[in-house]
Amino acid sequence: MPELNATQGSLLGFLHDGPRTGWDLLQQVEGGLSRFWNITSSHVYRELRTLEARRLIRAGAPGPRDRRPFTITAAGKREFRAWIAQMPGPEQIRFPLLVTLWFGRHLDDDTLMGFLDASRREHEQRLHLYRAVAARVPADDPHTAAVVGFGLAYEQALVGWLDDLRATTRATPAVARLDPSAPPVAVAVSFVECVNRRDSHGLERLMTEDHELRVFDEPPVVGRGDNIEAWRGYFRSFPDYTIYPRAISERDGTVAVLGHTTGSHLGLPDEEERRRTLAWLAVASRGRARSWTLIEDNRPNRHRFGL
């Protein structure tokens, strides 16, 4: 009898917990294992037919929607025990971004940076997912916890690697505006661009060591390090957050930006959020932002800051 392949062995492993329909098995696969082993719906149903033909599983009577539950047989349990006891094969990395990077010299910097930004957002979202999954793993299931732990470590490593790569990619807009002679308006525009790209490294380069973030009457966040952590947390929670400037003015090194946002913590539909205008103040000095302040858009503030 031919040896089980990994998909067949995985299905038998799930069936050890009790009868499952093909749909049930797909839900279990998509609930976790599919992120570590490529199993599609066509794989599942094809391999179920193979396992049934080999009498390693037995189909029950059709239920709702003609779904048939499958039960593992004694022969199936023997085959599974033999399969799971074999040394696992070597892993094979299939990461499309690495292929793109291999030939990255054929891309312009903006396109490559866009790919890196998109990849980071994706892996940041996966990291959040694994954290949520880890919180639901029972304390008496160390094996599933080990797999989820691998997912956490992998995504954390990838996010860090992408951050380093984005920081060293040449000629990003944030780096191009680090000249100490850059005018305050250029610093403010670069700050907005970094926020809209979720570029925490770019923001870090634009901030002074004692940078302050002020949001209305809330206590300020003081210091570059704490501010970067605050922005990273906000980007993780609201990955679509975007600032849309409408008007900019500058007085004595303080730049006022009038505009609106979408994708913020307000949780409003985009059309409704666009109608809520806000103003941001950036105090700039020698090509760096000393502070970033969110204030209300009202007539006194518009008059005061020339908006």
Side-chain angles (χ1 to χ4, degrees):
M1 186 174 291
E3 293 183 355
L4 297 175
N5 61 41
T7 301
Q8 294 169 350
S10 300
L11 295 176
L12 290 178
F14 284 123
L15 290 174
H16 267 73
D17 297 328
R20 300 283 190 277
T21 65
W23 188 88
D24 294 332
L25 290 166
L26 274 173
Q27 298 309 298
Q28 287 195 277
V29 168
E30 292 174 0
L33 186 60
S34 63
R35 300 190 176 276
F36 306 101
W37 187 258
N38 184 28
I39 303 178
T40 66
S41 59
S42 60
H43 287 157
V44 169
Y45 288 106
R46 182 176 66 243
E47 299 300 0
L48 284 174
R49 290 193 295 270
T50 300
L51 292 172
E52 185 179 14
R54 293 175 58 178
R55 299 184 180 181
L56 302 181
I57 61 174
R58 180 174 58 253
R65 300 183 182 178
D66 288 331
R67 292 174 179 163
R68 300 187 303 162
F70 292 92
T71 302
I72 190 170
T73 64
K77 291 181 179 180
R78 288 194 299 271
E79 287 292 313
F80 176 80
R81 285 196 298 271
W83 171 77
I84 197 64
Q86 295 176 1
M87 178 67 71
E91 77 280 1
Q92 176 66 47
I93 298 177
R94 295 181 62 86
F95 192 176
L97 178 61
L98 296 180
V99 179
T100 299
L101 285 173
W102 192 274
F103 302 103
R105 65 186 182 278
H106 300 288
L107 290 174
D108 62 85
D109 293 325
D110 288 342
T111 299
L112 180 57
M113 183 58 71
F115 293 159
L116 297 178
D117 289 345
S119 184
R120 191 193 188 284
R121 287 194 295 272
E122 177 185 353
H123 289 286
E124 191 84 50
Q125 291 168 357
R126 289 187 187 180
L127 183 56
H128 278 293
L129 172 64
Y130 289 140
R131 285 172 176 158
V133 172
R136 298 195 300 269
V137 175
D140 59 352
D141 188 358
H143 305 106
T144 300
V147 176
V148 177
F150 169 85
L152 283 168
Y154 178 81
E155 297 302 335
Q156 287 168 342
L158 267 183
V159 168
W161 172 74
L162 284 164
D163 281 344
D164 290 342
L165 187 60
R166 290 159 69 241
T168 56
T169 297
R170 59 189 174 86
T172 63
V175 173
R177 292 184 171 89
L178 287 179
D179 188 330
S181 64
V185 170
V187 175
V189 170
S190 293
F191 201 97
V192 172
E193 289 176 347
C194 287
V195 169
N196 289 349
R197 294 197 309 269
R198 268 64 68 183
D199 183 2
S200 59
H201 280 280
L203 288 174
E204 188 173 8
R205 286 171 172 76
L206 285 171
M207 293 179 182
T208 59
E209 186 66 32
D210 59 350
H211 180 89
E212 291 189 6
L213 170 66
R214 296 179 178 272
V215 179
F216 300 121
D217 296 326
E218 298 177 10
V221 180
V222 181
R224 180 191 293 152
D226 288 346
N227 272 279
I228 291 303
E229 286 305 310
W231 277 110
R232 285 175 177 166
Y234 198 85
F235 294 155
R236 286 193 295 269
S237 299
F238 308 100
D240 296 324
Y241 177 67
T242 305
I243 297 174
Y244 299 86
R246 299 184 185 181
I248 298 178
S249 68
E250 187 263 329
R251 289 182 177 176
D252 300 324
T254 297
V255 180
V257 180
L258 178 68
H260 69 271
T261 62
T262 57
S264 76
H265 62 281
L266 297 175
L268 299 173
D270 286 353
E271 287 302 319
E272 184 175 347
E273 190 168 353
R274 287 190 181 100
R275 293 194 291 270
R276 297 188 173 216
T277 54
L278 300 164
W280 295 266
L281 303 178
V283 177
S285 174
R286 294 183 56 80
R288 301 289 194 278
R290 295 174 54 193
S291 65
W292 184 254
T293 304
L294 178 61
I295 63 174
E296 292 184 5
D297 171 29
N298 54 39
R299 183 169 303 207
N301 281 336
R302 289 198 182 196
H303 178 74
R304 179 183 177 187
F305 297 107
L307 293 169

